[in-house]
Amino acid sequence: MRRLLVCLLALFPVMAVDAAGTAPPAAPRTALVIHGGAGFVPKDSISEAQRVAYHAALNRALDAGHAVLAKGGTALDAVTAAVVVLEEAPEFNAGKGAVFNAAGKHELDAAIMEGHTRRAGAVAGVTTVRNPIRLARAVMEHSPHVMLAGDGAEAFADTRPELERVPNTWFDTERRREQLEKAQRAERDKRAAVRDSDSDAAPYFGTVGAVALDARGHIAAATSTGGMTNKRYGRVGDAPIIGAGTWADDRCGVSGTGWGEFYIRAAAAHDICARVAYRGDSLQTAADEVINRLIPAAGGDGGAIALDRDGNIAMPFNSGSMFRGWVHPDGRRGTAIHEAEPER
Ligand code: ASP
């Protein structure tokens, strides 16, 4: 009798479907992961007010990206929406709040990639486009090229009236100017090269990125950054280099943040997805191997966010912190800055 009951219970969902004539639509398995940069931000170096502001900005970006996915929108639109919010947030080193280069100006890098089509767009050394991620997307959608740099990227932006332009000083923030002054003082003092150093904390990055899985099972990734404080000679980091700081294919997407030179030499973002594709590694194993073994072994540091077509999310970092946020396919959502802290 008990056995019969178990059999009937097991059959019940099938019977329910048949009785109604149609199967209830499966809930779409969407997922989203974002970052606001990896770095070394000691827990006690940020005030409660700053902490609240960081979490609020991450949550606004999650809201923007997830709203697109929830409406059945594309992963491409979701990562664009999330990254635009992060570019607008002065807390992060992208768009407003980007770091200064050695000449006291801002040169912005960004890239976007759509996995299943392998379409990609990237810009480097942009100076007047308010949202560089939108320009990267325009390169992808409205030019025959993948990557445009400097004056050429600006000239292309001139052909896209939908892109808002701003004077370079619009990206200024006092905090970033202090970081530049600190970096230049350190340089004069012949101290080690300073990356994006916080005025009251150790080196800290702040690049932003997003990776999304949409209801059709497609993945897109996007990254945007001001690069490194006090950079010169038109230095370009990993963020706009497809395969280094940004990558998406039909099973995996990655956005990196960290010391760009090391990510470029490791082809870090592509390597994570290649390990998933060719070795059959789980996303977490692949991301850990690249971020927690290969990059530090080479002398670099940073983190990455990664997402696969099953909605798995990995967010490894070998620095002390990484601003990050996520929405799992089952709706579990959170934001965090440090390791093992309660989710907000
Ligand atoms: N990866 C960026 C760069 O090297 C920096 C960062 O992640 O903050 O330009």
Side-chain angles (χ1 to χ4, degrees):
M1 181 62 193
R2 225 178 108 187
R3 247 223 215 124
L4 183 66
L5 202 63
V6 170
C7 287
L8 279 175
L9 279 176
L11 275 176
F12 182 76
V14 178
M15 289 160 64
V17 167
D18 284 347
T22 48
R29 290 181 57 76
T30 64
L32 176 66
V33 59
I34 61 170
H35 72 78
F40 301 88
V41 185
K43 270 192 185 154
D44 52 11
S45 75
I46 28 181
S47 66
E48 188 51 26
Q50 285 173 315
R51 187 181 300 279
V52 168
Y54 282 126
H55 283 285
L58 291 168
N59 272 304
R60 286 198 305 276
L62 284 180
D63 287 344
H66 197 252
V68 173
L69 297 173
K71 281 193 304 228
T74 64
L76 200 59
D77 283 342
V79 294
T80 307
V83 167
V84 164
V85 169
L86 295 168
E87 285 178 337
E88 293 288 315
E91 288 82 7
F92 303 114
N93 171 20
K96 178 75 182 172
V99 298
F100 286 92
N101 67 11
K105 301 248 172 340
H106 308 277
E107 292 176 324
L108 311 172
D109 301 339
I112 192 161
M113 186 166 189
E114 183 180 59
H116 68 296
T117 58
R118 297 279 183 116
R119 293 191 303 162
V123 291
V126 169
T127 53
T128 68
V129 177
R130 176 167 172 157
N131 295 110
I133 200 66
R134 289 200 207 276
L135 179 60
R137 182 157 172 184
V139 171
M140 179 179 95
E141 292 181 328
H142 303 295
S143 91
H145 306 300
V146 168
M147 189 176 196
L148 302 179
D151 291 346
E154 294 286 328
F156 174 72
D158 293 343
T159 72
R160 305 303 314 171
E162 76 277 14
L163 297 173
E164 188 176 344
R165 310 297 282 277
V166 290
N168 194 253
T169 51
W170 183 83
F171 300 107
D172 290 5
T173 52
E174 208 34 56
R175 172 170 164 245
R176 298 299 185 193
R177 193 176 295 285
E178 283 165 14
Q179 289 174 353
L180 175 66
E181 285 163 6
K182 183 180 172 192
Q184 294 187 330
R185 265 198 312 276
E187 198 175 59
R188 275 195 301 276
D189 294 350
K190 300 261 184 310
R191 296 227 308 270
V194 176
R195 282 167 284 149
D196 171 15
S197 62
D198 192 90
S199 51
D200 33 35
Y204 150 70
F205 304 108
T207 289
V208 308
V211 190
L213 169 71
D214 65 29
R216 289 169 209 80
H218 297 151
I219 294 171
T223 313
S224 181
T225 187
M228 285 176 159
T229 297
N230 203 24
K231 65 184 182 181
R232 49 170 67 107
Y233 310 124
R235 181 262 187 191
V236 175
D238 58 312
I241 297 181
I242 299 301
T246 307
W247 178 260
D249 56 38
D250 56 359
R251 69 180 86 202
C252 168
V254 173
S255 171
T257 165
W259 196 341
E261 279 69 8
F262 290 88
Y263 281 64
I264 295 170
R265 288 190 285 252
H270 179 264
D271 193 19
I272 292 172
C273 291
R275 285 163 186 273
V276 172
Y278 306 148
R279 288 169 50 98
D281 285 356
S282 72
L283 187 76
Q284 189 67 53
T285 301
D288 273 340
E289 181 71 5
V290 173
I291 299 302
N292 287 322
R293 197 178 69 78
L294 295 181
I295 297 275
D301 46 34
I305 53 170
L307 183 153
D308 70 16
R309 65 181 169 194
D310 296 322
N312 295 306
I313 287 173
M315 301 174 282
F317 52 98
N318 59 54
S319 50
S321 58
M322 183 167 78
F323 298 102
R324 59 201 188 280
W326 59 90
V327 185
H328 289 284
D330 61 7
R332 276 178 303 128
R333 166 181 171 149
T335 56
I337 303 174
H338 295 97
E339 205 88 69
E341 67 185 314
E343 294 176 5
R344 295 216 178 194

